[in-house]
Amino acid sequence: MADHAQRTTYVLVDGENIDATLGTSILSRRPQPDERPRWDRLLNFATEEWDQPAKGLFFLAANGDLPMGFIQALLAMEYRPVPLSGRPHEKVVDIAIQRTIEALKARDADVMLVSHDSDFVPQLGDLCDGRRIGLIGFLEFRSKAFVELESRGLEFFDLEYDVDAFTARLPRVRIIPIDEFDPFDFL
């Protein structure tokens, strides 16, 4: 593989998966605008973490309705929106991300996937060939199927704690390393 300094990191965002996990599993309600990730921080994190340019692709289902305000915001943050449509109940975002990961096999590039979904394990496994591969999300909600790829080079990053994608702390229950424990967080 080529020198990492000349490479690009492709950041593939499964926006629906992150939004659903945030709303259903963490907040138990639909997230308010100020509770959603700051997506610009994600691209900055990817660029700094692996010390190379990052290109963001944001996948979203847009069956019959294109959310132009959100699309314009993504474009302003230098993401490439990928609005998709398909048959009812078809997982168009998953299909598109799987195809994109497969296409990246032919590129001299690294990948950070923002999702918890085990549907991507086979494709990411194929990319564990010496390139950098990362999974970003809420670590306690990632599919356990990704753990098998850790020994093959998959790196895990927490969207809140590593990426710092939120402006306020989320009400998460997680295992706390003792060096990070602050009793005032519980008082």
Side-chain angles (χ1 to χ4, degrees), residues 5 14 17-18 22 30 35 39 45 51 57 65 69 71-72 78 80 93 111 119 123-124 127 137 159 172 177 179 183:
D14 182 351
N17 179 271
I18 296 301
L22 180 60
R30 186 174 180 84
E35 296 171 320
W39 296 113
F45 171 82
D51 194 28
L57 302 176
D65 186 29
I71 296 289
Q72 290 170 341
E78 299 184 9
R80 180 103 190 248
V93 168
V111 175
D119 289 347
Q123 292 80 16
L124 283 184
L127 291 184
L159 189 59
R172 292 168 65 189
D179 294 340

Side-chain angles (χ1 to χ4, degrees), residues 104-124:
L104 285 168
K105 178 83 171 140
R107 295 241 175 155
D108 191 23
D110 300 316
V111 175
M112 286 187 178
L113 172 65
V114 185
S115 183
H116 304 96
D117 196 335
S118 65
D119 289 347
F120 308 117
V121 171
Q123 292 80 16
L124 283 184

